[in-house]
Amino acid sequence: KGAVEFEFIDKDNKIVYKAIKSIEIDPGQEVGVSEQWKPERFEGGFYRIKATLKKDGVVFDIEENGFVVFDGPALENGPGIYIQDKGFIIKGNKSFILGANYYESKLGELAWLRPNLLRIREDFMTMKDMGINFVRMHYHHSKWFRDYFTEIVKEGLDPYLQVADTMAIPSERSLRILDAIIQLAQEQDLVFCMDIFSLVPEEMGDPIGWLGLRERIVDEGKLKFQKEFVGLLAGRYKEVPGIVWDLWNEPRLDKSDYGLLKDWAEEIKKTFRENGDTHLVTIGGDVSLDLLDILDYGCVHTYEPGKFDSTQDLSKPVIFNEVWNPAGYSLEEEIRQAEELKKDFNAFLETGFAGFCPWQWTRQARLWNNASEPEKWDDDLGVCVREDGSLKPAAEAYHELIEKLKESGKYPQAGLK
């Protein structure tokens, strides 16, 4: 016999509601306990929930999460972003994009099914403290989880994943998760960039993901679902500032298929525009440099920013969308990673590129960590935080570099060479 103590806490860390419920658990038994707080009105946009399992004053477990409140100007407070010359205007100022690619450090991909909004908010707050102004996320379509396990892995769906959508077009539950993440980004003045069509259900592509899969851009049936989803996004977010759409991460296609990719990207962008959405559109990866006549800006993915010596011949701004700095788990490796990030950041400043985004905030693999070489590679690319949320040396280095850039007088005017 014990008790579960529920606390609802506002963003100023004040307990606004508290309740205690008795609980009795036999060995091996699962027991559900719930509590509802029903205020006449919510006074803030974010609340933390804390559940503490106790017996005789001894704490056995603590679980925390949070929720956002959509009230009044929710999703209207994002940092506006547009292009001027070959650079960006963010919140009315000429500015570099100084960003991070993001997965939540404990949940990884699962944040799109059962997010810990408290942890995401804390990560975004840390980003703002570091001077980061841009966060890029790969959208994992909810039905993709279901299709990946049933069609690719050939396994039954884990009970944890049963909340995954059964239809290709996201449910209201899935869209509210996206709403919440966008609002948390807005709260910290972060431009929110979402890669849309990399991890898709079978109706939009192939759930194996992360591959070229030419058919996704030529199959009319798949394009139909893609355009329906784009229409949904446009209708929901067309008036929301501070959003950038990345249509597809690293399309690994033969050069002979670039014309097809261009036609596809043009059709998707047209669908956004026909539905009233004027947010900037790009494609993640070096192929974007071949498509600048239809994209709004280009994206480079690289280990070595220094090998790109100029953007002088390019018609639109280009950013380093993913910069890779792998490192092992030792402190020595983490320090080496920080030195590599410094080198790459300074190289970026010499190129005339308009932005810099390390890949990535943390280790990625959470859903299927299988110790394979690709998984190890992605794990080693976590730059800013460890799994427990503590900062790595590279995060401290990135913060210092951003501060020095601001102090130098080149920021925010830099990037418009």
Side-chain angles (χ1 to χ4, degrees):
K1 292 183 179 181
V4 178
E5 177 183 86
F6 293 95
E7 295 174 309
F8 288 74
I9 304 163
D10 68 17
K11 65 180 182 179
D12 296 321
N13 211 33
K14 176 185 175 184
I15 297 173
V16 294
Y17 179 80
K18 186 174 182 177
I20 297 176
K21 287 197 170 182
S22 297
I23 186 172
E24 185 172 344
I25 309 175
D26 294 326
Q29 184 184 15
E30 291 186 8
V31 177
V33 184
S34 64
E35 177 63 22
Q36 292 186 2
W37 170 46
K38 297 181 178 180
E40 290 186 7
R41 61 170 284 114
F42 293 103
E43 300 297 335
F46 182 84
Y47 292 87
R48 176 161 58 103
I49 309 168
K50 182 177 180 181
T52 305
L53 178 63
K54 298 180 177 181
K55 181 180 179 181
D56 299 329
V58 177
V59 174
F60 286 86
D61 196 13
I62 297 175
E63 185 67 30
E64 293 185 287
N65 207 317
F67 64 92
V68 300
V69 177
F70 298 107
D71 183 21
L75 297 184
E76 297 178 7
N77 298 322
I81 178 172
Y82 65 93
I83 290 169
Q84 186 178 88
D85 300 325
K86 286 165 62 175
F88 293 94
I89 306 295
I90 301 176
K91 292 192 69 177
N93 295 314
K94 299 175 183 178
S95 179
F96 282 125
I97 283 176
L98 299 169
N101 289 274
Y102 182 68
Y103 279 99
E104 198 259 273
S105 59
K106 285 190 175 181
L107 292 178
E109 299 92 342
L110 295 171
W112 290 110
L113 286 186
R114 297 175 178 268
N116 187 317
L117 295 183
L118 174 63
R119 187 65 175 265
I120 294 172
R121 182 173 186 262
E122 289 172 344
D123 282 338
F124 287 0
M125 290 173 71
T126 300
M127 290 182 193
K128 182 177 183 178
D129 289 343
M130 289 172 58
I132 288 172
N133 61 12
F134 182 96
V135 59
R136 177 176 180 252
M137 296 184 70
H138 293 297
Y139 184 70
H140 290 53
H141 288 252
S142 184
K143 187 175 181 286
W144 170 82
F145 292 90
R146 189 174 294 276
D147 291 353
Y148 181 83
F149 276 91
T150 56
E151 298 182 23
I152 308 302
V153 182
K154 308 293 186 185
E155 291 182 0
L157 201 65
D158 187 281
Y160 190 90
L161 304 178
Q162 288 294 339
V163 293
D165 288 346
T166 58
M167 307 294 287
I169 301 303
S171 63
E172 181 64 18
R173 178 186 188 276
S174 293
L175 291 169
R176 288 192 176 209
I177 290 173
L178 178 55
D179 289 345
I181 293 173
I182 292 173
Q183 181 162 322
L184 293 177
Q186 290 180 338
E187 183 187 39
Q188 305 305 323
D189 287 332
L190 299 173
V191 174
F192 178 80
C193 174
M194 188 175 92
D195 155 36
I196 303 174
F197 290 122
S198 294
L199 284 302
V200 294
E202 61 175 344
E203 292 88 346
M204 297 186 194
D206 187 324
I208 192 172
W210 303 121
L211 297 175
L213 303 172
R214 180 178 183 269
E215 61 268 31
R216 85 170 66 192
I217 60 172
V218 297
D219 186 296
E220 288 297 326
K222 297 184 187 302
L223 185 62
K224 174 180 177 293
F225 277 99
Q226 292 168 12
K227 291 171 69 174
E228 184 177 349
F229 180 51
V230 166
L232 180 63
L233 289 177
R236 197 172 185 100
Y237 301 116
K238 62 186 178 183
E239 302 296 335
V240 178
I243 293 177
V244 170
W245 302 123
D246 185 333
L247 302 185
W248 185 5
N249 184 65
E250 298 180 2
R252 295 182 177 93
L253 301 172
D254 293 335
K255 192 123 184 172
S256 60
D257 288 331
Y258 282 9
L260 295 173
L261 178 63
K262 179 179 178 180
D263 291 344
W264 173 82
E266 194 165 22
E267 186 69 16
I268 296 297
K269 182 177 179 180
K270 178 183 175 184
T271 304
F272 271 117
R273 300 299 184 250
E274 287 177 345
N275 284 277
D277 188 302
T278 60
H279 294 115
L280 302 180
V281 170
T282 190
I283 286 178
D286 298 8
V287 65
S288 64
L289 302 184
D290 293 300
L291 305 175
L292 285 179
D293 54 335
I294 61 164
L295 301 176
D296 294 310
Y297 67 95
C299 300
V300 165
H301 295 182
T302 184
Y303 285 103
E304 295 289 344
K307 74 179 183 181
F308 295 87
D309 55 8
S310 176
T311 59
Q312 186 173 2
D313 297 328
L314 298 175
S315 59
K316 293 179 181 176
V318 180
I319 70 170
F320 289 111
N321 204 40
E322 292 185 15
V323 178
W324 306 314
N325 292 131
Y329 290 91
S330 69
L331 179 58
E332 180 181 21
E333 277 286 283
E334 290 185 349
I335 292 172
R336 182 191 60 75
Q337 183 183 51
E339 292 302 315
E340 282 292 310
L341 184 138
K342 290 179 186 178
K343 174 180 72 71
D344 290 343
F345 189 88
N346 286 319
F348 139 68
L349 293 176
E350 298 298 321
T351 61
F353 276 46
F356 181 87
C357 300
W359 176 272
Q360 64 176 340
W361 184 250
T362 186
R363 294 173 56 215
Q364 177 182 338
R366 291 294 176 273
L367 187 59
W368 54 68
N369 198 332
N370 56 20
S372 66
E373 281 304 309
E375 291 292 344
K376 182 180 183 303
W377 181 78
D378 239 339
D379 276 359
D380 287 350
L381 288 170
V383 171
C384 291
V385 302
R386 305 179 185 90
E387 188 173 347
D388 64 0
S390 60
L391 291 183
K392 297 178 70 175
E396 301 286 355
Y398 195 16
H399 180 205
E400 291 173 6
L401 289 164
I402 293 172
E403 288 301 306
K404 287 179 180 178
L405 179 60
K406 292 178 179 179
E407 293 168 2
S408 72
K410 296 180 180 178
Y411 180 101
Q413 281 70 32
L416 300 183
K417 298 179 182 178

